[in-house]
Each structure stands twice: as C-alpha cells, then as structure tokens.
Short mmCIF file of all heavy atoms in Angstrom, two decimals:
data_model
loop_
_atom_site.label_atom_id
_atom_site.label_comp_id
_atom_site.label_asym_id
_atom_site.label_seq_id
_atom_site.Cartn_x
_atom_site.Cartn_y
_atom_site.Cartn_z
N MET A 1 77.74 8.22 -32.01
CA MET A 1 76.49 7.57 -31.69
C MET A 1 76.44 6.24 -32.41
O MET A 1 76.62 6.17 -33.61
CB MET A 1 75.33 8.47 -32.12
CG MET A 1 73.98 7.84 -31.93
SD MET A 1 72.57 8.92 -32.25
CE MET A 1 72.67 9.15 -33.99
N ARG A 2 76.23 5.19 -31.64
CA ARG A 2 76.03 3.86 -32.21
C ARG A 2 74.53 3.62 -32.32
O ARG A 2 73.74 4.29 -31.66
CB ARG A 2 76.59 2.77 -31.28
CG ARG A 2 78.07 2.65 -31.25
CD ARG A 2 78.56 1.42 -30.48
NE ARG A 2 77.92 1.21 -29.18
CZ ARG A 2 77.16 0.15 -28.87
NH1 ARG A 2 76.88 -0.78 -29.75
NH2 ARG A 2 76.64 0.03 -27.67
N ASN A 3 74.16 2.63 -33.13
CA ASN A 3 72.75 2.27 -33.17
C ASN A 3 72.61 0.76 -33.31
O ASN A 3 73.56 0.06 -33.67
CB ASN A 3 72.02 3.01 -34.30
CG ASN A 3 72.42 2.53 -35.66
OD1 ASN A 3 72.16 1.39 -36.04
ND2 ASN A 3 73.06 3.40 -36.44
N LEU A 4 71.42 0.29 -32.99
CA LEU A 4 71.13 -1.14 -33.04
C LEU A 4 70.13 -1.48 -34.15
O LEU A 4 69.44 -2.48 -34.08
CB LEU A 4 70.57 -1.59 -31.68
CG LEU A 4 71.50 -1.35 -30.49
CD1 LEU A 4 70.78 -1.70 -29.20
CD2 LEU A 4 72.77 -2.14 -30.63
N ILE A 5 70.10 -0.64 -35.17
CA ILE A 5 69.14 -0.83 -36.26
C ILE A 5 69.35 -2.16 -36.96
O ILE A 5 68.40 -2.93 -37.16
CB ILE A 5 69.20 0.35 -37.26
CG1 ILE A 5 68.79 1.64 -36.56
CG2 ILE A 5 68.31 0.06 -38.48
CD1 ILE A 5 69.08 2.89 -37.35
N ARG A 6 70.58 -2.46 -37.31
CA ARG A 6 70.85 -3.73 -38.00
C ARG A 6 70.46 -4.91 -37.13
O ARG A 6 69.83 -5.87 -37.60
CB ARG A 6 72.33 -3.83 -38.39
CG ARG A 6 72.65 -5.09 -39.16
CD ARG A 6 74.13 -5.12 -39.60
NE ARG A 6 74.39 -6.23 -40.47
CZ ARG A 6 74.63 -7.48 -40.05
NH1 ARG A 6 74.63 -7.75 -38.76
NH2 ARG A 6 74.85 -8.45 -40.91
N ASP A 7 70.82 -4.87 -35.85
CA ASP A 7 70.48 -5.96 -34.93
C ASP A 7 68.97 -6.16 -34.84
O ASP A 7 68.48 -7.30 -34.90
CB ASP A 7 71.04 -5.68 -33.53
CG ASP A 7 72.56 -5.66 -33.50
OD1 ASP A 7 73.19 -6.23 -34.41
OD2 ASP A 7 73.11 -5.06 -32.56
N LYS A 8 68.24 -5.06 -34.69
CA LYS A 8 66.78 -5.15 -34.59
C LYS A 8 66.18 -5.68 -35.90
O LYS A 8 65.27 -6.50 -35.89
CB LYS A 8 66.17 -3.78 -34.26
CG LYS A 8 66.58 -3.22 -32.93
CD LYS A 8 65.68 -3.72 -31.84
CE LYS A 8 65.92 -2.97 -30.54
NZ LYS A 8 65.12 -3.51 -29.46
N ARG A 9 66.73 -5.20 -37.03
CA ARG A 9 66.22 -5.65 -38.33
C ARG A 9 66.46 -7.15 -38.51
O ARG A 9 65.57 -7.88 -38.95
CB ARG A 9 66.90 -4.86 -39.45
CG ARG A 9 66.47 -5.29 -40.85
CD ARG A 9 67.15 -4.50 -41.93
NE ARG A 9 68.60 -4.63 -41.94
CZ ARG A 9 69.26 -5.68 -42.42
NH1 ARG A 9 68.61 -6.73 -42.90
NH2 ARG A 9 70.57 -5.71 -42.41
N MET A 10 67.65 -7.59 -38.17
CA MET A 10 67.98 -9.02 -38.31
C MET A 10 67.10 -9.87 -37.38
O MET A 10 66.65 -10.95 -37.76
CB MET A 10 69.46 -9.26 -38.01
CG MET A 10 70.41 -8.50 -38.91
SD MET A 10 70.58 -9.21 -40.53
CE MET A 10 71.64 -10.57 -40.18
N HIS A 11 66.86 -9.37 -36.17
CA HIS A 11 66.01 -10.07 -35.21
C HIS A 11 64.58 -10.25 -35.77
O HIS A 11 63.94 -11.27 -35.54
CB HIS A 11 65.98 -9.33 -33.88
CG HIS A 11 65.15 -10.00 -32.84
ND1 HIS A 11 65.56 -11.14 -32.18
CD2 HIS A 11 63.93 -9.70 -32.34
CE1 HIS A 11 64.61 -11.52 -31.34
NE2 HIS A 11 63.61 -10.65 -31.42
N MET A 12 64.11 -9.23 -36.50
CA MET A 12 62.77 -9.29 -37.09
C MET A 12 62.77 -10.07 -38.41
O MET A 12 61.72 -10.30 -39.00
CB MET A 12 62.23 -7.89 -37.34
CG MET A 12 61.80 -7.17 -36.10
SD MET A 12 61.10 -5.54 -36.46
CE MET A 12 59.61 -5.97 -37.35
N ASN A 13 63.99 -10.43 -38.86
CA ASN A 13 64.14 -11.20 -40.09
C ASN A 13 63.56 -10.46 -41.31
O ASN A 13 62.81 -11.03 -42.10
CB ASN A 13 63.52 -12.60 -39.96
CG ASN A 13 64.05 -13.55 -41.00
OD1 ASN A 13 65.19 -13.42 -41.44
ND2 ASN A 13 63.22 -14.50 -41.40
N ILE A 14 63.90 -9.16 -41.41
CA ILE A 14 63.48 -8.40 -42.59
C ILE A 14 64.73 -7.86 -43.29
O ILE A 14 65.77 -7.65 -42.67
CB ILE A 14 62.51 -7.24 -42.24
CG1 ILE A 14 63.14 -6.24 -41.27
CG2 ILE A 14 61.21 -7.77 -41.69
CD1 ILE A 14 62.28 -5.01 -41.03
N THR A 15 64.62 -7.67 -44.58
CA THR A 15 65.73 -7.19 -45.38
C THR A 15 65.84 -5.67 -45.29
O THR A 15 64.90 -4.99 -44.85
CB THR A 15 65.56 -7.58 -46.86
OG1 THR A 15 64.42 -6.90 -47.39
CG2 THR A 15 65.40 -9.09 -47.02
N GLN A 16 66.96 -5.16 -45.75
CA GLN A 16 67.13 -3.71 -45.82
C GLN A 16 66.07 -3.11 -46.75
O GLN A 16 65.55 -2.04 -46.47
CB GLN A 16 68.53 -3.35 -46.31
CG GLN A 16 69.60 -3.66 -45.31
CD GLN A 16 70.99 -3.43 -45.87
OE1 GLN A 16 71.22 -3.55 -47.07
NE2 GLN A 16 71.93 -3.11 -44.99
N GLU A 17 65.77 -3.80 -47.82
CA GLU A 17 64.76 -3.31 -48.76
C GLU A 17 63.39 -3.24 -48.10
O GLU A 17 62.66 -2.25 -48.26
CB GLU A 17 64.71 -4.22 -49.99
CG GLU A 17 63.74 -3.77 -51.05
CD GLU A 17 64.09 -2.43 -51.68
OE1 GLU A 17 65.29 -2.10 -51.78
OE2 GLU A 17 63.15 -1.70 -52.06
N GLU A 18 63.03 -4.28 -47.36
CA GLU A 18 61.73 -4.27 -46.67
C GLU A 18 61.66 -3.14 -45.65
O GLU A 18 60.63 -2.46 -45.54
CB GLU A 18 61.49 -5.62 -45.97
CG GLU A 18 61.24 -6.76 -46.93
CD GLU A 18 61.26 -8.13 -46.27
OE1 GLU A 18 62.09 -8.34 -45.34
OE2 GLU A 18 60.46 -8.98 -46.66
N LEU A 19 62.74 -2.92 -44.91
CA LEU A 19 62.77 -1.84 -43.93
C LEU A 19 62.66 -0.50 -44.63
O LEU A 19 61.90 0.37 -44.21
CB LEU A 19 64.04 -1.91 -43.08
CG LEU A 19 64.18 -0.82 -42.02
CD1 LEU A 19 63.00 -0.81 -41.06
CD2 LEU A 19 65.50 -0.99 -41.27
N SER A 20 63.36 -0.34 -45.74
CA SER A 20 63.30 0.93 -46.47
C SER A 20 61.88 1.21 -46.96
O SER A 20 61.42 2.35 -46.92
CB SER A 20 64.29 0.94 -47.63
OG SER A 20 63.89 0.09 -48.68
N GLN A 21 61.18 0.18 -47.39
CA GLN A 21 59.80 0.35 -47.85
C GLN A 21 58.89 0.76 -46.70
O GLN A 21 58.03 1.63 -46.86
CB GLN A 21 59.30 -0.92 -48.52
CG GLN A 21 59.95 -1.18 -49.86
CD GLN A 21 59.60 -2.55 -50.43
OE1 GLN A 21 58.89 -3.34 -49.83
NE2 GLN A 21 60.12 -2.82 -51.63
N ARG A 22 59.07 0.15 -45.54
CA ARG A 22 58.24 0.50 -44.38
C ARG A 22 58.48 1.94 -43.94
O ARG A 22 57.57 2.62 -43.49
CB ARG A 22 58.53 -0.44 -43.21
CG ARG A 22 58.02 -1.84 -43.41
CD ARG A 22 58.24 -2.66 -42.16
NE ARG A 22 57.97 -4.06 -42.40
CZ ARG A 22 57.87 -4.97 -41.45
NH1 ARG A 22 58.02 -4.62 -40.19
NH2 ARG A 22 57.63 -6.22 -41.73
N LEU A 23 59.74 2.38 -44.05
CA LEU A 23 60.10 3.72 -43.62
C LEU A 23 59.88 4.78 -44.70
O LEU A 23 59.95 5.97 -44.42
CB LEU A 23 61.58 3.76 -43.21
CG LEU A 23 61.99 2.90 -42.02
CD1 LEU A 23 63.50 2.87 -41.90
CD2 LEU A 23 61.33 3.39 -40.75
N LYS A 24 59.63 4.30 -45.94
CA LYS A 24 59.49 5.20 -47.09
C LYS A 24 60.76 6.01 -47.34
O LYS A 24 60.73 7.23 -47.54
CB LYS A 24 58.27 6.10 -46.94
CG LYS A 24 56.96 5.33 -46.94
CD LYS A 24 55.77 6.26 -46.83
CE LYS A 24 54.44 5.59 -46.93
NZ LYS A 24 54.18 4.37 -46.26
N VAL A 25 61.90 5.29 -47.27
CA VAL A 25 63.21 5.86 -47.60
C VAL A 25 63.90 4.90 -48.56
O VAL A 25 63.43 3.79 -48.80
CB VAL A 25 64.09 6.08 -46.34
CG1 VAL A 25 63.44 7.05 -45.37
CG2 VAL A 25 64.42 4.76 -45.64
N SER A 26 65.02 5.31 -49.10
CA SER A 26 65.76 4.44 -50.00
C SER A 26 66.52 3.37 -49.22
O SER A 26 66.79 3.53 -48.02
CB SER A 26 66.76 5.26 -50.84
OG SER A 26 67.80 5.73 -50.01
N ARG A 27 66.87 2.31 -49.91
CA ARG A 27 67.68 1.26 -49.29
C ARG A 27 69.04 1.83 -48.90
O ARG A 27 69.60 1.45 -47.88
CB ARG A 27 67.85 0.08 -50.25
CG ARG A 27 68.64 -1.05 -49.65
CD ARG A 27 68.62 -2.30 -50.54
NE ARG A 27 69.59 -3.25 -50.06
CZ ARG A 27 70.81 -3.39 -50.57
NH1 ARG A 27 71.19 -2.67 -51.60
NH2 ARG A 27 71.64 -4.27 -50.06
N GLN A 28 69.54 2.75 -49.70
CA GLN A 28 70.82 3.39 -49.38
C GLN A 28 70.76 4.13 -48.04
O GLN A 28 71.72 4.14 -47.28
CB GLN A 28 71.23 4.35 -50.50
CG GLN A 28 72.61 4.94 -50.32
CD GLN A 28 73.71 3.90 -50.28
OE1 GLN A 28 73.70 2.96 -51.07
NE2 GLN A 28 74.62 4.03 -49.34
N THR A 29 69.61 4.72 -47.73
CA THR A 29 69.45 5.39 -46.44
C THR A 29 69.55 4.39 -45.31
O THR A 29 70.20 4.64 -44.30
CB THR A 29 68.10 6.15 -46.38
OG1 THR A 29 68.11 7.16 -47.39
CG2 THR A 29 67.86 6.79 -45.02
N VAL A 30 68.92 3.23 -45.47
CA VAL A 30 68.99 2.18 -44.45
C VAL A 30 70.44 1.72 -44.28
O VAL A 30 70.93 1.55 -43.16
CB VAL A 30 68.07 0.99 -44.80
CG1 VAL A 30 68.29 -0.18 -43.84
CG2 VAL A 30 66.61 1.43 -44.76
N ILE A 31 71.15 1.53 -45.39
CA ILE A 31 72.55 1.13 -45.33
C ILE A 31 73.36 2.17 -44.57
O ILE A 31 74.17 1.83 -43.70
CB ILE A 31 73.12 0.93 -46.76
CG1 ILE A 31 72.48 -0.30 -47.41
CG2 ILE A 31 74.64 0.80 -46.73
CD1 ILE A 31 72.73 -0.42 -48.90
N SER A 32 73.14 3.45 -44.87
CA SER A 32 73.86 4.53 -44.20
C SER A 32 73.52 4.61 -42.72
O SER A 32 74.39 4.86 -41.88
CB SER A 32 73.57 5.87 -44.87
OG SER A 32 74.08 5.88 -46.18
N LEU A 33 72.26 4.38 -42.38
CA LEU A 33 71.85 4.37 -40.98
C LEU A 33 72.55 3.24 -40.22
O LEU A 33 73.11 3.46 -39.15
CB LEU A 33 70.33 4.18 -40.86
CG LEU A 33 69.46 5.37 -41.17
CD1 LEU A 33 68.01 4.93 -41.35
CD2 LEU A 33 69.57 6.43 -40.10
N GLU A 34 72.50 2.05 -40.79
CA GLU A 34 73.09 0.88 -40.13
C GLU A 34 74.59 1.03 -39.94
O GLU A 34 75.14 0.57 -38.93
CB GLU A 34 72.79 -0.39 -40.91
CG GLU A 34 71.34 -0.81 -40.82
CD GLU A 34 71.04 -2.13 -41.49
OE1 GLU A 34 71.91 -2.71 -42.17
OE2 GLU A 34 69.89 -2.59 -41.33
N SER A 35 75.26 1.66 -40.88
CA SER A 35 76.71 1.81 -40.79
C SER A 35 77.12 3.00 -39.92
O SER A 35 78.30 3.20 -39.65
CB SER A 35 77.32 1.97 -42.18
OG SER A 35 76.92 3.19 -42.77
N GLY A 36 76.13 3.81 -39.50
CA GLY A 36 76.42 4.96 -38.66
C GLY A 36 76.90 6.18 -39.43
O GLY A 36 77.34 7.16 -38.85
N LYS A 37 76.81 6.13 -40.76
CA LYS A 37 77.26 7.26 -41.58
C LYS A 37 76.21 8.36 -41.68
O LYS A 37 76.49 9.44 -42.16
CB LYS A 37 77.62 6.77 -42.99
CG LYS A 37 78.84 5.87 -42.99
CD LYS A 37 79.16 5.42 -44.38
CE LYS A 37 80.36 4.48 -44.34
NZ LYS A 37 80.66 3.93 -45.64
N TYR A 38 74.99 8.04 -41.24
CA TYR A 38 73.89 8.99 -41.34
C TYR A 38 73.14 9.00 -40.03
O TYR A 38 72.76 7.95 -39.51
CB TYR A 38 72.96 8.58 -42.49
CG TYR A 38 71.71 9.42 -42.62
CD1 TYR A 38 71.77 10.72 -43.07
CD2 TYR A 38 70.46 8.88 -42.31
CE1 TYR A 38 70.61 11.49 -43.20
CE2 TYR A 38 69.31 9.64 -42.43
CZ TYR A 38 69.40 10.94 -42.88
OH TYR A 38 68.27 11.70 -43.00
N LYS A 39 72.93 10.19 -39.48
CA LYS A 39 72.15 10.33 -38.26
C LYS A 39 70.74 10.74 -38.67
O LYS A 39 70.55 11.73 -39.36
CB LYS A 39 72.77 11.37 -37.33
CG LYS A 39 74.11 10.93 -36.79
CD LYS A 39 74.70 11.95 -35.87
CE LYS A 39 76.06 11.48 -35.40
NZ LYS A 39 76.71 12.47 -34.55
N PRO A 40 69.74 9.97 -38.25
CA PRO A 40 68.38 10.23 -38.70
C PRO A 40 67.76 11.48 -38.06
O PRO A 40 68.16 11.90 -36.98
CB PRO A 40 67.62 8.98 -38.26
CG PRO A 40 68.34 8.55 -37.03
CD PRO A 40 69.80 8.85 -37.31
N SER A 41 66.79 12.01 -38.76
CA SER A 41 65.98 13.08 -38.19
C SER A 41 65.16 12.49 -37.04
O SER A 41 65.04 11.27 -36.92
CB SER A 41 65.04 13.66 -39.24
OG SER A 41 64.08 12.68 -39.61
N LEU A 42 64.58 13.34 -36.24
CA LEU A 42 63.73 12.88 -35.15
C LEU A 42 62.54 12.10 -35.71
O LEU A 42 62.14 11.07 -35.15
CB LEU A 42 63.26 14.05 -34.30
CG LEU A 42 62.42 13.72 -33.08
CD1 LEU A 42 63.15 12.73 -32.17
CD2 LEU A 42 62.07 14.97 -32.33
N VAL A 43 61.99 12.55 -36.82
CA VAL A 43 60.85 11.87 -37.44
C VAL A 43 61.24 10.46 -37.88
O VAL A 43 60.53 9.49 -37.61
CB VAL A 43 60.29 12.69 -38.63
CG1 VAL A 43 59.25 11.89 -39.40
CG2 VAL A 43 59.71 14.01 -38.15
N LEU A 44 62.40 10.33 -38.54
CA LEU A 44 62.85 9.02 -38.99
C LEU A 44 63.18 8.12 -37.80
O LEU A 44 62.86 6.93 -37.81
CB LEU A 44 64.04 9.15 -39.93
CG LEU A 44 64.56 7.86 -40.54
CD1 LEU A 44 63.45 7.05 -41.23
CD2 LEU A 44 65.69 8.16 -41.52
N ALA A 45 63.79 8.67 -36.77
CA ALA A 45 64.09 7.88 -35.57
C ALA A 45 62.79 7.37 -34.94
O ALA A 45 62.71 6.22 -34.48
CB ALA A 45 64.87 8.73 -34.56
N HIS A 46 61.76 8.20 -34.94
CA HIS A 46 60.46 7.80 -34.39
C HIS A 46 59.86 6.68 -35.24
O HIS A 46 59.32 5.70 -34.70
CB HIS A 46 59.53 9.02 -34.34
CG HIS A 46 58.24 8.74 -33.66
ND1 HIS A 46 57.10 8.42 -34.34
CD2 HIS A 46 57.92 8.73 -32.34
CE1 HIS A 46 56.12 8.22 -33.47
NE2 HIS A 46 56.59 8.40 -32.26
N LYS A 47 59.95 6.79 -36.56
CA LYS A 47 59.44 5.74 -37.44
C LYS A 47 60.17 4.42 -37.20
O LYS A 47 59.55 3.36 -37.17
CB LYS A 47 59.59 6.15 -38.91
CG LYS A 47 58.62 7.21 -39.36
CD LYS A 47 58.85 7.53 -40.83
CE LYS A 47 57.91 8.60 -41.34
NZ LYS A 47 58.14 8.89 -42.77
N LEU A 48 61.48 4.50 -37.03
CA LEU A 48 62.26 3.29 -36.74
C LEU A 48 61.78 2.64 -35.45
O LEU A 48 61.59 1.43 -35.38
CB LEU A 48 63.75 3.64 -36.63
CG LEU A 48 64.49 3.86 -37.94
CD1 LEU A 48 65.76 4.66 -37.72
CD2 LEU A 48 64.79 2.53 -38.61
N ALA A 49 61.58 3.45 -34.43
CA ALA A 49 61.10 2.93 -33.14
C ALA A 49 59.73 2.27 -33.29
O ALA A 49 59.47 1.23 -32.69
CB ALA A 49 61.06 4.04 -32.10
N GLN A 50 58.88 2.85 -34.13
CA GLN A 50 57.56 2.25 -34.37
C GLN A 50 57.69 0.91 -35.08
O GLN A 50 57.04 -0.06 -34.70
CB GLN A 50 56.70 3.19 -35.20
CG GLN A 50 56.18 4.39 -34.43
CD GLN A 50 55.32 5.28 -35.30
OE1 GLN A 50 55.62 5.50 -36.47
NE2 GLN A 50 54.26 5.79 -34.73
N VAL A 51 58.54 0.85 -36.10
CA VAL A 51 58.73 -0.41 -36.84
C VAL A 51 59.23 -1.50 -35.90
O VAL A 51 58.77 -2.64 -35.95
CB VAL A 51 59.71 -0.22 -38.02
CG1 VAL A 51 60.15 -1.55 -38.59
CG2 VAL A 51 59.08 0.64 -39.11
N PHE A 52 60.19 -1.14 -35.04
CA PHE A 52 60.79 -2.13 -34.15
C PHE A 52 60.07 -2.26 -32.81
O PHE A 52 60.50 -3.03 -31.95
CB PHE A 52 62.27 -1.79 -33.92
CG PHE A 52 63.10 -1.86 -35.17
CD1 PHE A 52 63.90 -0.79 -35.54
CD2 PHE A 52 63.08 -2.97 -35.98
CE1 PHE A 52 64.67 -0.84 -36.69
CE2 PHE A 52 63.84 -3.05 -37.13
CZ PHE A 52 64.64 -1.97 -37.49
N ASP A 53 58.98 -1.52 -32.64
CA ASP A 53 58.17 -1.58 -31.43
C ASP A 53 59.03 -1.40 -30.17
O ASP A 53 59.04 -2.23 -29.27
CB ASP A 53 57.39 -2.89 -31.36
CG ASP A 53 56.32 -2.87 -30.29
OD1 ASP A 53 55.81 -1.78 -29.96
OD2 ASP A 53 56.00 -3.96 -29.74
N CYS A 54 59.78 -0.29 -30.17
CA CYS A 54 60.64 0.01 -29.03
C CYS A 54 60.74 1.52 -28.86
O CYS A 54 60.17 2.28 -29.64
CB CYS A 54 62.03 -0.60 -29.23
SG CYS A 54 62.98 0.14 -30.58
N GLN A 55 61.44 1.94 -27.84
CA GLN A 55 61.69 3.35 -27.61
C GLN A 55 62.89 3.80 -28.44
O GLN A 55 63.79 3.00 -28.71
CB GLN A 55 61.99 3.60 -26.13
CG GLN A 55 60.86 3.21 -25.19
CD GLN A 55 59.64 4.08 -25.38
OE1 GLN A 55 59.74 5.30 -25.50
NE2 GLN A 55 58.48 3.46 -25.44
N ILE A 56 62.92 5.06 -28.82
CA ILE A 56 64.05 5.60 -29.58
C ILE A 56 65.36 5.34 -28.82
O ILE A 56 66.37 4.98 -29.43
CB ILE A 56 63.86 7.11 -29.85
CG1 ILE A 56 62.69 7.33 -30.83
CG2 ILE A 56 65.14 7.74 -30.39
CD1 ILE A 56 62.29 8.78 -31.05
N GLU A 57 65.33 5.49 -27.51
CA GLU A 57 66.52 5.30 -26.69
C GLU A 57 67.07 3.89 -26.76
O GLU A 57 68.24 3.65 -26.44
CB GLU A 57 66.24 5.67 -25.23
CG GLU A 57 65.92 7.13 -25.01
CD GLU A 57 64.45 7.47 -25.22
OE1 GLU A 57 63.66 6.60 -25.66
OE2 GLU A 57 64.10 8.62 -24.95
N GLU A 58 66.22 2.93 -27.15
CA GLU A 58 66.68 1.55 -27.28
C GLU A 58 67.41 1.31 -28.59
O GLU A 58 68.09 0.29 -28.74
CB GLU A 58 65.49 0.59 -27.19
CG GLU A 58 64.80 0.59 -25.83
CD GLU A 58 63.57 -0.27 -25.82
OE1 GLU A 58 63.69 -1.48 -26.11
OE2 GLU A 58 62.47 0.26 -25.55
N LEU A 59 67.29 2.23 -29.53
CA LEU A 59 67.94 2.09 -30.84
C LEU A 59 69.27 2.82 -30.94
O LEU A 59 70.15 2.39 -31.68
CB LEU A 59 67.02 2.63 -31.95
CG LEU A 59 65.82 1.80 -32.32
CD1 LEU A 59 64.95 2.54 -33.33
CD2 LEU A 59 66.26 0.47 -32.90
N PHE A 60 69.38 3.92 -30.23
CA PHE A 60 70.55 4.78 -30.37
C PHE A 60 71.31 4.89 -29.06
O PHE A 60 70.72 5.19 -28.03
CB PHE A 60 70.13 6.17 -30.86
CG PHE A 60 69.43 6.10 -32.19
CD1 PHE A 60 68.04 6.09 -32.25
CD2 PHE A 60 70.14 6.00 -33.37
CE1 PHE A 60 67.38 6.00 -33.47
CE2 PHE A 60 69.50 5.91 -34.59
CZ PHE A 60 68.12 5.91 -34.64
N ILE A 61 72.63 4.65 -29.12
CA ILE A 61 73.47 4.68 -27.94
C ILE A 61 74.43 5.85 -28.09
O ILE A 61 75.27 5.88 -29.00
CB ILE A 61 74.27 3.36 -27.78
CG1 ILE A 61 73.31 2.19 -27.54
CG2 ILE A 61 75.25 3.47 -26.63
CD1 ILE A 61 72.90 1.45 -28.73
N PHE A 62 74.27 6.83 -27.21
CA PHE A 62 75.14 8.00 -27.23
C PHE A 62 76.38 7.70 -26.41
O PHE A 62 76.28 7.14 -25.33
CB PHE A 62 74.40 9.22 -26.68
CG PHE A 62 73.28 9.66 -27.58
CD1 PHE A 62 72.00 9.16 -27.42
CD2 PHE A 62 73.52 10.56 -28.61
CE1 PHE A 62 70.96 9.55 -28.25
CE2 PHE A 62 72.50 10.95 -29.46
CZ PHE A 62 71.21 10.44 -29.28
N GLU A 63 77.52 8.08 -26.95
CA GLU A 63 78.79 7.76 -26.29
C GLU A 63 79.61 9.04 -26.07
O GLU A 63 79.47 10.01 -26.82
CB GLU A 63 79.58 6.79 -27.14
CG GLU A 63 78.84 5.49 -27.38
CD GLU A 63 79.53 4.59 -28.39
OE1 GLU A 63 80.08 5.11 -29.38
OE2 GLU A 63 79.51 3.38 -28.19
N GLY A 64 80.47 8.98 -25.09
CA GLY A 64 81.44 10.05 -24.88
C GLY A 64 80.85 11.43 -24.76
O GLY A 64 79.94 11.66 -23.98
N ASP A 65 81.36 12.36 -25.57
CA ASP A 65 80.97 13.76 -25.46
C ASP A 65 79.59 14.05 -26.03
O ASP A 65 79.15 15.19 -26.04
CB ASP A 65 82.01 14.68 -26.09
CG ASP A 65 82.21 14.40 -27.57
OD1 ASP A 65 81.59 13.47 -28.12
OD2 ASP A 65 83.01 15.13 -28.19
N GLU A 66 78.91 13.05 -26.52
CA GLU A 66 77.54 13.24 -26.99
C GLU A 66 76.55 13.31 -25.84
O GLU A 66 75.43 13.80 -26.00
CB GLU A 66 77.13 12.09 -27.93
CG GLU A 66 77.95 12.04 -29.20
CD GLU A 66 77.65 10.78 -30.01
OE1 GLU A 66 77.39 9.73 -29.43
OE2 GLU A 66 77.71 10.89 -31.24
N ASN A 67 76.94 12.80 -24.69
CA ASN A 67 76.06 12.81 -23.52
C ASN A 67 76.11 14.16 -22.82
O ASN A 67 77.11 14.86 -22.85
CB ASN A 67 76.49 11.73 -22.51
CG ASN A 67 76.13 10.35 -23.01
OD1 ASN A 67 75.05 10.11 -23.50
ND2 ASN A 67 77.08 9.41 -22.88
N ILE A 68 75.01 14.50 -22.18
CA ILE A 68 74.93 15.74 -21.41
C ILE A 68 75.60 15.51 -20.06
O ILE A 68 75.32 14.54 -19.37
CB ILE A 68 73.45 16.16 -21.19
CG1 ILE A 68 72.80 16.47 -22.53
CG2 ILE A 68 73.36 17.35 -20.24
CD1 ILE A 68 71.31 16.73 -22.43
N GLU A 69 76.51 16.40 -19.73
CA GLU A 69 77.19 16.31 -18.43
C GLU A 69 76.27 16.91 -17.36
O GLU A 69 75.65 17.93 -17.57
CB GLU A 69 78.50 17.10 -18.47
CG GLU A 69 79.50 16.58 -19.49
CD GLU A 69 80.05 15.21 -19.17
OE1 GLU A 69 80.18 14.87 -17.97
OE2 GLU A 69 80.32 14.45 -20.12
N SER A 70 76.23 16.28 -16.20
CA SER A 70 75.40 16.82 -15.12
C SER A 70 76.21 17.59 -14.14
O SER A 70 77.37 17.68 -14.16
CB SER A 70 74.65 15.72 -14.43
OG SER A 70 75.47 14.64 -14.12
#
C-alpha cells in the first residue's frame, strides 16, 4: 500500500511536527506513515483525511494482491 501523506503535507506546507500535533501522535509515527513502514488504524486514517480535507481513498493506494478480486 502506497500513500500520499507526504505529498498532501508538503502541499499544505506543514511540517511533520505540525501534522503530528494535529493528529495527536508522535513525529516518529508521521515519519513511519510517510515511509510506508506503518499502516494506520482506521481512526488514524480518518483523522488524516480530515486534516487533508479529502477522502481516505485519496490518501492510500492499494496495489497488487491488496485489492479485492471480482
């Protein structure tokens, strides 16, 4: 799963520290999210979508076998 958290954060011109404060998580969590080393809970994904004023689906890109086959 890829994400666009860093891109959205840079577009809003906010630092990792500022984002971590808005989300009430550590800066290390933001670093891990942006690097793809940590997959957020549904609650955290929802908070991210609220901060960036977008849908959760606009932040996270599922690839390959992560998608549901029809």
Side-chain angles (χ1 to χ4, degrees):
M1 175 174 68
R2 286 189 313 116
N3 70 66
L4 301 174
I5 296 168
R6 183 177 187 278
D7 295 339
K8 296 274 191 184
R9 178 180 61 77
M10 300 283 283
H11 181 74
M12 286 182 66
N13 199 30
I14 60 174
T15 66
Q16 290 174 331
E17 182 65 31
E18 290 169 323
L19 180 57
S20 71
Q21 290 172 358
R22 290 185 190 191
L23 297 171
K24 296 182 175 43
V25 299
S26 70
R27 182 171 169 262
Q28 186 60 43
T29 298
V30 172
I31 292 168
S32 294
L33 285 166
E34 288 185 353
S35 68
K37 293 180 182 176
Y38 175 71
K39 293 181 182 177
S41 67
L42 183 56
V43 171
L44 183 53
H46 187 263
K47 287 180 181 181
L48 282 160
Q50 287 180 320
V51 167
F52 296 128
D53 192 28
C54 67
Q55 300 293 316
I56 292 173
E57 295 85 354
E58 295 175 58
L59 287 175
F60 300 97
I61 296 94
F62 293 90
E63 300 172 322
D65 60 358
E66 296 172 325
N67 287 315
I68 297 173
E69 299 292 328
S70 47

